């Protein structure tokens, strides 16, 4: 047994307790777990491959001059998620005897990073995996990266003439763009573009479903939805296409009922409605062939498997089964050929593969030190001292443990109030009042330390734990790296990467580097319910305390902003090496201070030059030594070249 094993055993805390505490065994499967050293371990290929110690990995990367905060992208996880999605649909297709295929696309808006999109396109080739674009810039990415003639290129979003013509011409490059009509007036533009170019694109229609949805993105469906055609518009569009002799190019029906569908029942309703519309479109004479069920496949962020905001009440396999079974049920009675099923699953593919790691710079906890005894202590201070001693001497068994502690806490509060009153009347000095406060906090800490871990605890005492919570200062901007925690109160799993073999003794939340009181992480996953404080360890001087934020691979990077001019973090792509260990595939350096200044139209050279002139002036009037001026300029120049975060 090593020393640390002895300590752990003595404390009665095991890594399994940590896995349960942070719900790691629920949301982390199969990629994240705790190893015997009390560190987070990553299995980037799930059960099929090796594992990496995340704490060691970060230290190895820091050794390569990749400072924190650091975004670690596990390309193997990205591949694995894509494989699981396809495997789930393949299984469902086999199980329900579906005589059609599944052919997915990645919605580029979820994560536009070059290495991410390139990886998905390269690995997805064997399934003819395609891309979905919602803007001209995304279309450009999709057109140039996809060269598989069978892969779909779904063109969503608002479209002007140039967007539509680009899609039509790309068809002549051997691509397969599908222009999805999302607004009633787009059909005219498509008809005009077709006439002027003499050829048509593949055409899709997005239906506005009236199925009710729930959750954050519930308003993506229904009569007031931003996109999609109502049934009357849909029929008018079909007529316009028929008159323009373009009905033969109508190939796809699309719907999207919002991201992160929490409740599978909502999806089933939508699928039935869309399935019937699909059948009707074929009856109206459109060849069709594709049914695109959009995004919405959710992630179980808290592992609770419930229909709540941070979770889903279905698995990936349930989702695929429902899509396949429902579409079949809609089409077969009408003898309509079963369509190729398309999904635009972004969150489900991209969430798991990136982990944001940041360090804690320090913490502020309540003053818990017990002041030394003075000979002339006033009565209130002596009373508090006696109360503290009483809490620590558990020799009475007249009471149940928690009523004994409750009584002691009532006493402590009374004596603290006495001390305050005495201070106001001038009977207590400032330092005596400080002693009273310290002793009160010490009482609270002693009580919390003795609270039974399981079993009933009086409400008063339970809230003591929260009153003792600390603020942990994070080397991070949540506006840059976790914007959805601020904007839409999204929950992500957050937990330490080390010391998971030790019972965390503190409760705390994180404050970020920005000078914005909203710049904090103060909602954490609980069992189906968010909690305001996270179990954390007391910091040890000189020892790094690394925190990981998980499941943030979708949407966070691009939604992040430059608040307080904190720029993008360093990012790395990691792959398991064939012989064990890892290899660093790509390094993407974070924004430097010069980068973020330029983004705001400042010229770093000019800023420096102005300061150089100011320091010359200060040298000549004797306020600054030449050597100090040089030091100042060195600091400024170095900062411009470095990332915007604090350096270790
Ligand atoms: C955002 C979006 C998606 C992606 O949704 P996820 O829930 O991330 O899978 C797919 N399709 C459309 C039209 C979208 O707007």
């Amino acid at each position: 047994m090593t020393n640390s094993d002895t300590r752990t055993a003595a404390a009665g805390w095991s890594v399994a307790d940590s896995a349960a505490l942070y719900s790691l065994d629920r949301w982390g499967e199969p990629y994240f777990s705790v190893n015997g050293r009390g560190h987070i371990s990553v299995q980037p290929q799930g059960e099929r491959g090796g594992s990496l110690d995340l704490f060691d990995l970060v230290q190895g990367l820091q050794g390569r001059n990749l400072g924190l905060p650091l975004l670690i992208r596990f390309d193997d996880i990205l591949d694995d998620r894509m494989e699981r999605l396809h495997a789930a649909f393949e299984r469902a297709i086999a199980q329900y005897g579906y005589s059609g295929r599944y052919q997915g696309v990645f919605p580029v808006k979820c994560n536009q990073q070059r290495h991410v999109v390139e990886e998905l396109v390269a690995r997805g080739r064997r399934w003819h995996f395609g891309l979905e674009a919602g803007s001209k810039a995304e279309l450009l990415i999709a057109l140039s990266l996809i060269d598989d003639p069978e892969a779909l290129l779904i063109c969503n979003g608002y479209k002007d003439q140039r967007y539509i013509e680009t899609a039509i011409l790309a068809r002549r490059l051997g691509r397969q763009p599908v222009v999805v009509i999302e607004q009633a007036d787009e059909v005219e533009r498509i008809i005009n573009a077709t006439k002027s170019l003499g050829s048509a694109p593949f055409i899709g229609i997005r239906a506005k479903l009236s199925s009710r949805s729930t959750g954050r993105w519930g308003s993506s469906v229904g009569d007031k939805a931003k996109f999609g055609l109502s049934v009357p518009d849909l029929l008018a569009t079909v007529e316009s296409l028929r008159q323009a002799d373009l009905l033969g190019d109508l190939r796809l029906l699309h719907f999207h009922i919002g991201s992160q569908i929490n409740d599978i029942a909502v999806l089933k309703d939508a699928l039935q409605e869309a399935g019937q519309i699909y059948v009707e479109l074929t009856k109206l004479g459109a060849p069709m062939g594709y049914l695109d069920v959009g995004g919405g496949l959710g992630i179980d962020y808290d592992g609770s498997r419930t229909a709540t905001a941070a979770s889903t009440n279905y698995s990936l396999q349930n989702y695929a089964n429902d899509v396949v079974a429902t579409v079949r049920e809609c089409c077969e009675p009408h003898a309509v050929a079963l369509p190729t099923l398309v999904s635009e699953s972004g969150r489900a593919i991209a969430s798991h593969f990136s982990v944001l790691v940041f360090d804690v710079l320090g913490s502020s906890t309540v003053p818990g030190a017990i002041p030394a005894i003075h000979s002339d202590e006033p009565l209130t201070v002596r009373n508090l001292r006696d109360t503290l001693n009483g809490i620590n001497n558990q020799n009475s068994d007249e009471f149940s443990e928690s009523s004994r502690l409750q009584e002691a806490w009532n006493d402590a509060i009374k004596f603290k109030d006495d001390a305050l009153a005495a201070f106001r009347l001038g009977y207590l000095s400032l330092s005596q009042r400080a002693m009273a406060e310290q002793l009160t906090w010490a009482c609270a800490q002693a009580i919390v330390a003795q609270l039974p871990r399981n079993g009933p605890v009086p409400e008063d005492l339970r809230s003591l734990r929260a009153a003792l919570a600390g603020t942990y200062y994070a080397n991070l901007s949540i506006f840059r790296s976790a914007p959805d925690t601020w904007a839409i109160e999204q929950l992500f799993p957050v937990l330490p990467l080390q010391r998971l073999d030790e019972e965390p003794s503190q409760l705390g939340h994180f404050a970020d580097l920005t000078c914005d009181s909203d710049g904090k992480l103060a909602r954490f996953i609980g069992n189906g319910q968010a909690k305001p404080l996270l179990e954390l360890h007391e910091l040890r001087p000189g020892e790094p305390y690394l925190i990981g934020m998980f499941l943030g691979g979708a949407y966070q990077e691009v939604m992040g902003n430059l608040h307080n001019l904190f720029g993008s973090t360093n990012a790395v792509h990691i792959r398991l090496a064939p012989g064990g260990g890892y290899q660093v595939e790509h390094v993407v350096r974070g924004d430097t201070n010069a980068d973020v200044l330029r983004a705001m139209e400042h010229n770093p050279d000019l800023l420096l030059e102005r300061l150089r002139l100011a320091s010359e002036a200060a040298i000549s009037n004797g306020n600054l030594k030449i050597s100090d001026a040089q030091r100042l300029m060195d600091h400024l120049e170095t900062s411009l070249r470095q990332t915007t975060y604090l350096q270790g």
Side-chain angles (χ1 to χ4, degrees):
M1 227 188 207
T2 66
N3 273 344
S4 82
D5 286 339
T6 328
R7 193 181 61 213
T8 314
W13 186 264
S14 71
V15 292
D17 293 320
S18 285
L21 174 66
Y22 299 109
S23 303
L24 191 61
D25 39 6
R26 310 231 226 153
W27 59 262
E29 283 269 304
Y31 306 116
F32 307 105
S33 57
V34 193
N35 65 22
R37 295 166 65 204
H39 293 176
I40 292 284
S41 156
V42 188
Q43 294 79 236
Q45 298 170 342
E47 307 86 357
R48 292 173 295 142
S51 65
L52 298 171
D53 183 307
L54 188 52
F55 186 78
D56 290 353
L57 172 62
V58 172
Q59 300 219 312
L61 294 168
Q62 283 181 292
R64 293 169 168 89
N65 206 12
L66 283 160
L68 299 173
L70 180 60
L71 195 62
I72 307 181
R73 303 196 181 111
F74 294 97
D75 287 349
D76 295 303
I77 295 186
L78 197 61
D79 299 347
D80 193 73
R81 288 300 296 171
M82 195 162 41
E83 251 170 59
R84 275 169 205 268
L85 177 68
H86 285 88
F89 271 98
E90 278 157 20
R91 234 175 277 132
I93 281 169
Q95 184 181 336
Y96 293 94
Y98 190 89
S99 57
R101 295 178 298 128
Y102 167 76
Q103 203 185 333
V105 295
F106 179 70
V108 175
K109 81 160 189 277
C110 217
N111 192 325
Q112 299 93 339
Q113 292 289 328
R114 177 185 140 205
H115 297 303
V116 174
V117 186
E118 283 181 355
E119 176 70 16
L120 287 169
V121 168
R123 289 285 169 145
R125 198 173 287 271
R126 61 182 148 135
W127 302 288
H128 305 298
F129 192 70
L131 295 172
E132 183 258 6
S135 65
K136 263 186 239 175
E138 289 183 356
L139 178 65
L140 192 64
I141 295 175
L143 282 177
S144 76
L145 289 189
I146 294 242
D147 56 2
D148 175 354
E150 286 190 52
L152 291 171
L153 216 157
I154 307 280
C155 307
N156 284 335
Y158 291 99
K159 301 166 203 73
D160 59 13
Q161 201 73 16
R162 201 179 298 282
Y163 184 122
I164 292 166
E165 290 192 9
T166 305
I168 293 175
L169 292 170
R171 194 171 165 186
R172 297 205 203 138
L173 297 180
R175 310 287 198 267
Q176 220 182 158
V178 183
V179 179
V180 178
I181 301 174
E182 307 220 28
Q183 312 283 345
D185 59 356
E186 282 173 2
V187 67
E188 274 319 304
R189 252 170 272 150
I190 291 178
I191 292 169
N192 291 340
T194 303
K195 279 187 188 142
S196 76
L197 293 175
S199 68
F202 294 113
I203 299 171
I205 290 188
R206 176 163 176 174
K208 196 183 270 188
L209 300 185
S210 42
S211 305
R212 208 173 36 84
S213 186
T214 52
R216 176 71 192 45
W217 287 275
S219 60
S220 310
V221 288
D223 301 335
K224 294 279 183 297
K226 184 168 155 190
F227 292 111
L229 303 183
S230 63
V231 170
D233 281 345
L234 193 129
L235 289 175
T237 299
V238 168
E239 273 324 297
S240 305
L241 289 174
R242 191 195 306 283
Q243 276 160 27
D245 205 17
L246 284 174
L247 195 56
D249 294 292
L250 179 55
R251 307 295 289 278
L252 176 142
L253 174 67
H254 170 51
F255 72 88
H256 173 68
I257 59 170
S259 206
Q260 184 67 10
I261 299 171
N262 311 117
D263 186 354
I264 190 89
V266 167
L267 176 75
K268 280 192 206 175
D269 281 355
L271 281 166
Q272 281 178 335
E273 190 180 348
Q276 297 305 334
I277 296 176
Y278 183 89
V279 168
E280 296 292 327
L281 286 171
T282 62
K283 287 187 184 163
L284 289 170
M288 302 307 287
Y290 294 91
L291 178 56
D292 175 353
V293 301
L297 175 52
I299 290 292
D300 195 359
Y301 292 99
D302 68 4
S304 67
R305 310 222 195 306
T306 54
T308 51
S311 185
T312 59
N313 66 356
Y314 59 89
S315 66
L316 177 55
Q317 191 62 56
N318 299 148
Y319 177 90
N321 288 354
D322 274 359
V323 171
V324 169
T326 313
V327 173
R328 190 187 138 172
E329 279 161 23
C330 291
C331 292
E332 281 198 341
H334 301 275
V336 168
L338 295 180
T340 296
L341 297 167
V342 182
S343 82
E344 305 173 348
S345 307
R347 187 183 297 274
I349 287 181
S351 290
H352 293 77
F353 88 111
S354 76
V355 179
L356 177 71
V357 177
F358 58 91
D359 50 326
V360 172
L361 301 163
S363 70
S364 81
T365 45
V366 297
I370 300 169
I373 300 184
H374 282 247
S375 50
D376 59 343
E377 281 181 357
L379 182 64
T380 50
V381 172
R382 285 204 310 273
N383 283 340
L384 278 165
R385 232 182 248 291
D386 291 344
T387 308
L388 178 60
N389 291 337
I391 295 167
N392 288 329
N393 296 334
Q394 342 172 6
N395 47 15
S396 92
D397 30 40
E398 304 159 40
F399 297 122
S400 83
E401 182 65 2
S402 55
S403 43
R404 182 181 76 86
L405 295 172
Q406 175 77 62
E407 193 167 306
W409 182 238
N410 295 345
D411 289 348
I413 292 290
K414 160 94 175 58
F415 297 138
K416 192 193 84 171
D417 289 346
D418 288 352
L420 261 183
F423 175 74
R424 276 198 296 267
L425 296 173
Y427 296 119
L428 228 64
S429 70
L430 196 60
S431 68
Q432 289 168 334
R433 178 182 159 178
M435 285 167 79
E437 285 188 20
Q438 279 175 303
L439 286 166
T440 311
W441 285 120
C443 288
Q445 278 169 340
I447 289 171
V448 164
Q450 291 182 37
L451 285 180
R453 197 178 287 156
N454 305 309
V457 171
E459 181 58 35
D460 249 18
L461 300 188
R462 223 176 315 140
S463 59
L464 263 190
R465 245 191 250 269
L468 289 173
T471 301
Y472 284 65
Y473 299 101
N475 191 13
L476 172 83
S477 157
I478 65 126
F479 300 96
R480 174 71 257 172
S481 297
D484 279 347
T485 63
W486 163 68
I488 57 170
E489 298 205 320
Q490 166 143 15
L491 290 174
F492 294 101
V494 174
L495 72 158
L497 303 188
Q498 71 280 284
R499 296 174 67 183
L500 296 168
D501 51 356
E502 257 178 68
E503 180 169 12
S505 59
Q506 289 280 321
L507 285 175
H509 73 271
F510 299 98
D512 80 355
L513 288 178
T514 67
C515 308
D516 190 318
S517 52
D518 276 355
K520 59 183 184 203
L521 269 182
R523 291 180 82 246
F524 303 98
I525 60 166
N527 195 2
Q529 215 178 356
K531 55 186 191 186
L533 295 166
L534 185 67
E535 292 79 0
L536 293 166
H537 301 85
E538 222 163 302
L539 298 182
R540 291 199 190 116
E543 192 181 294
Y545 191 56
L546 304 183
I547 306 292
M549 191 188 96
F550 294 81
L551 307 186
Y555 301 111
Q556 299 317 294
E557 283 172 69
V558 72
M559 304 282 269
N561 62 55
L562 284 175
H563 193 13
N564 258 164
L565 296 189
F566 287 104
S568 59
T569 67
N570 288 323
V572 284
H573 288 250
I574 299 293
R575 202 178 268 292
L576 275 183
Y582 61 89
Q583 67 213 25
V584 181
E585 299 261 287
H586 310 283
V587 169
V588 185
R589 294 271 166 196
D591 288 334
T592 63
N593 285 301
D595 292 336
V596 298
L597 287 169
R598 279 193 207 98
M600 296 294 128
E601 305 292 328
H602 295 285
N603 179 333
D605 291 336
L606 268 182
L607 297 181
L608 264 189
E609 179 59 10
R610 273 194 221 137
L611 284 164
R612 197 188 59 74
L613 292 176
S615 56
E616 284 301 330
I619 291 170
S620 37
N621 63 27
N623 286 336
L624 192 65
K625 287 192 294 190
I626 291 180
S627 59
D628 285 342
Q630 190 51 44
R631 178 186 287 249
L632 174 63
M633 295 315 289
D634 280 351
H635 284 328
L636 292 167
E637 282 175 25
T638 308
S639 294
L640 284 175
R641 287 196 304 272
Q642 288 184 328
T643 74
T644 53
Y645 296 91
L646 300 203
Q647 318 285 319

